[in-house]
Amino acid sequence: MKTQIYFAAVSGFLVLCAFSANAMTLEQYLETVQNKNRTFSSLRASKEAGNLRYMQGDLELSPQLTAQGSYLDDKGISYTTSGTVDHNQVRQYSLGLGKKFSTGTQIQVQGSIQAANAEGTTASGTFANETHTGTVGVSLSQSLWKNFFGEATRLRWERESAQRGLEVGGYDLQLKQSLSEAEAAFWDLIYLQQELEIRRSGLERAHKIETWVKKRLNNGIGDRSDALNAQGLTASRELQLLATQDELVAAQKKVADQLELSTAEQLPPLEANLKIPRSDWGQNLKSGQGRVVRLDSYLAVLEARAKSVAAKESKDQLRPDLTLEGQYKTNGYDTDDSSAWRRATEKDHPVSAISLKLTWLLDWETKDGVRTAAQRDALAAKLKKERKLLEGESAWSELQRRHQELNKKILAAQKMSEVQNQRASVERELLSRGRSITSQVITAEQDADEAELSLTKLRAEQRKLESQSRLFVKLEDEI
């Protein structure tokens, strides 16, 4: 039974490594994850939508075409000095083009034609008059206070820019977190593959020790307790191997989920060297000037910027509005419809108008409340930003410190593993000569395996730690 378990474990490992010639590297794995995993596709689509969403704010600056047709049939009676009008029919068609500019200037150009038919009675009898009017006009308005030559538009652009950066940055953070999780799953699987190899080698050595001890016992020169110790070592190694196999299957499932493989698809073999640190990790952050912070700290900076602009925008919107408005319109009269339209640009009967309009909200208490709320939001976001920046800088410093400490631990663990492997080798040789006891060999074997596993685990942890550097950004502008 033990031998069957051993060979099953070995066979599973060999199947996993059979495709080593076509093994997938970390870069290939991450690229495949980003292309196949629908989490990344969803976040990229949301990011694109976030970039496009804020274009709708400029819809108010888009040219607007208006066309209108109307018909009026009025049978109400009206009295004039010359008689009574008891029936009016009016048909009107208009076409206009309007545009609001970023300066707050609004321009409207409109042309219209109107046909009016009036019927009534006078002292001399009934009458029916039909007149046609063609007009072309232009109107203009400009805010001189509330939106002084586009101040509100500039504030809106600034706020929307910060909000767009905040929303898109949130999706970037999720993308990088998902990528970091995918890489962590990669390194977990690489570690368990190496742990399986270590467990397999340990079980193989345990079998050799057990066989040698049993042979001495059968020859009458061994001790029963030594045989039991050797059997216990083999059983312990088999149990550890089974546990590692189970963890390996779970890690493979996690990687397969990242790659979105179906149950019928085989997981491609992965290949990486845990011994080689990523020399380029965080290099873009370490070079140049600027503060290195976590991405969520940068999002707090953008949020504070948006809230600050929103407070200014709120103050601007509550100002009194002084609007300058002007209009000029021509009138062309004729009894013929087409002639009236041709004469629409004649300047014989123009209409000119100019006005200055003041609009003032008189509810001071409500206005103060709105302004104060926006200012408090801006202050809260500013304080949150300052705290997040401190946390972000501290996190980057801690990441570098932990990486350096792991370097020290890996060197120490490497020395310990070498010593323990040498000790186990010496103990095995002494046991073969009858100059050592089985318990010492077993202890040395266990210590050697644990030391090698500790070293491998530390290396895997360092690779996973290096992957977290993608969650940091450098702030090169003033904040």
Side-chain angles (χ1 to χ4, degrees):
M1 179 64 182
K2 295 177 182 178
T3 305
Q4 291 175 347
I5 294 175
Y6 166 67
F7 280 111
V10 173
S11 300
F13 180 75
L14 292 177
V15 169
L16 181 67
C17 299
F19 304 93
S20 58
N22 300 317
M24 182 180 288
T25 64
L26 174 63
E27 290 75 17
Q28 294 170 334
Y29 163 75
L30 293 178
E31 183 180 357
T32 305
V33 168
Q34 292 179 81
N35 291 333
K36 293 191 63 177
N37 194 311
R38 276 168 281 196
T39 297
F40 292 86
S41 301
S42 172
L43 289 172
R44 283 194 295 267
S46 297
K47 181 179 176 181
E48 184 178 357
N51 277 318
L52 297 174
R53 184 176 298 113
Y54 290 92
M55 296 177 64
Q56 67 187 12
D58 282 336
L59 282 177
E60 64 177 23
L61 302 180
S62 301
Q64 191 172 46
L65 179 68
T66 58
Q68 182 178 0
S70 64
Y71 173 73
L72 173 67
D73 191 350
D74 182 6
K75 294 183 179 181
I77 299 176
S78 60
Y79 298 95
T80 67
T81 57
S82 58
T84 303
V85 178
D86 55 22
H87 192 190
N88 273 312
Q89 290 179 308
V90 180
R91 298 188 309 274
Q92 184 173 6
Y93 306 96
S94 64
L95 184 66
L97 180 63
K99 175 77 168 74
K100 181 179 179 180
F101 296 90
S102 60
T103 58
T105 307
Q106 296 188 54
I107 295 180
Q108 175 81 22
V109 178
Q110 182 170 315
S112 67
I113 186 168
Q114 175 180 292
N117 185 17
E119 297 178 359
T121 59
T122 64
S124 59
T126 62
F127 71 89
N129 294 331
E130 183 174 355
T131 60
H132 297 269
T133 307
T135 66
V136 175
V138 58
S139 60
L140 179 145
S141 69
Q142 173 66 57
S143 175
L144 302 177
W145 195 343
K146 183 177 180 179
N147 185 18
F148 183 70
F149 287 98
E151 176 67 16
T153 304
R154 289 189 292 273
L155 287 174
R156 177 175 64 81
W157 282 345
E158 189 177 352
R159 172 180 54 80
E160 289 180 348
S161 176
Q163 288 178 334
R164 179 173 61 247
L166 180 60
E167 182 177 356
V168 173
Y171 293 128
D172 273 333
L173 176 58
Q174 294 180 59
L175 280 168
K176 292 180 179 181
Q177 286 174 335
S178 299
L179 197 60
S180 182
E181 291 173 4
E183 184 171 350
F186 175 90
W187 290 120
D188 285 339
L189 180 55
I190 293 297
Y191 164 73
L192 286 169
Q193 288 176 353
Q194 295 195 13
E195 180 180 341
L196 183 65
E197 186 176 2
I198 293 171
R199 297 295 189 194
R200 178 181 62 83
S201 299
L203 180 59
E204 186 177 344
R205 292 194 300 271
H207 272 295
K208 290 181 180 179
I209 293 174
E210 182 182 2
T211 301
W212 187 84
V213 171
K214 283 183 177 179
K215 183 178 180 181
R216 285 174 57 86
L217 181 63
N218 292 334
N219 292 336
I221 58 175
D223 189 83
R224 176 68 176 169
S225 62
D226 289 341
L228 292 174
N229 280 336
Q231 290 177 3
L233 175 63
T234 303
S236 174
R237 293 285 170 81
E238 288 175 347
L239 180 61
Q240 291 171 344
L241 183 61
L242 289 173
T244 301
Q245 277 185 295
D246 180 58
E247 292 179 7
L248 180 61
V249 171
Q252 289 172 335
K253 180 65 170 61
K254 193 172 182 179
V255 170
D257 288 342
Q258 289 288 345
L259 294 170
E260 293 199 357
L261 300 177
S262 66
T263 54
E265 293 180 285
Q266 186 177 10
L267 178 69
L270 306 180
E271 183 180 57
N273 191 345
L274 286 173
K275 298 180 181 180
I276 302 177
R278 286 165 56 176
S279 58
D280 61 340
W281 79 278
Q283 289 301 318
N284 59 323
L285 302 174
K286 296 176 183 178
S287 59
Q289 301 296 322
R291 302 171 68 176
V292 178
V293 298
R294 280 199 312 251
L295 189 53
D296 61 331
S297 302
Y298 175 61
L299 297 183
V301 172
L302 295 178
E303 181 182 8
R305 191 174 297 166
K307 291 291 180 65
S308 175
V309 178
K312 297 177 184 177
E313 195 175 18
S314 176
K315 181 179 178 181
D316 183 74
Q317 289 174 349
L318 295 174
R319 289 176 179 174
D321 195 9
L322 185 64
T323 307
L324 175 65
E325 297 178 345
Q327 181 185 23
Y328 180 84
K329 181 176 69 171
T330 64
N331 287 286
Y333 299 98
D334 205 296
T335 57
D336 181 74
D337 195 346
S338 58
S339 298
W341 179 246
R342 286 196 299 268
R343 298 176 60 184
T345 57
E346 291 183 357
K347 302 176 183 178
D348 296 338
H349 308 282
V351 176
S352 301
I354 188 169
S355 65
L356 197 61
K357 181 172 67 175
L358 176 66
T359 306
W360 199 324
L361 290 174
L362 300 178
D363 194 342
W364 284 275
E365 184 177 354
T366 301
K367 291 194 296 183
D368 288 341
V370 172
R371 275 193 296 261
T372 303
Q375 290 169 356
R376 293 293 184 271
D377 282 342
L379 178 61
K382 179 175 180 293
L383 295 174
K384 177 184 176 182
K385 174 199 74 173
E386 292 172 351
R387 177 61 189 172
K388 283 289 187 180
L389 286 175
L390 290 175
E391 291 177 356
E393 287 184 305
S394 176
W396 173 243
S397 176
E398 177 64 12
L399 185 69
Q400 291 181 300
R401 186 196 67 80
R402 287 181 58 199
H403 191 272
Q404 293 173 355
E405 289 299 317
L406 278 173
N407 279 333
K408 298 176 183 177
K409 291 179 181 179
I410 288 172
L411 289 175
Q414 189 172 357
K415 292 179 182 178
M416 183 176 68
S417 179
E418 292 173 356
V419 170
Q420 294 292 0
N421 281 325
Q422 291 175 2
R423 175 191 165 205
S425 177
V426 170
E427 289 292 343
R428 286 194 299 271
E429 185 177 353
L430 290 175
L431 181 64
S432 65
R433 297 176 183 177
R435 297 173 57 185
S436 180
I437 59 177
T438 307
S439 60
Q440 287 182 340
V441 177
I442 292 173
T443 300
E445 282 285 332
Q446 291 174 333
D447 290 345
D449 280 358
E450 291 304 319
E452 190 170 359
L453 285 172
S454 296
L455 173 60
T456 305
K457 192 166 188 177
L458 284 172
R459 286 170 172 161
E461 288 298 320
Q462 190 177 51
R463 301 295 81 75
K464 290 164 67 175
L465 188 70
E466 291 165 352
S467 73
Q468 294 179 21
S469 65
R470 59 169 50 92
L471 300 178
F472 291 81
V473 294
K474 176 173 287 188
L475 301 180
E476 299 180 353
D477 55 342
E478 292 295 328
I479 53 174

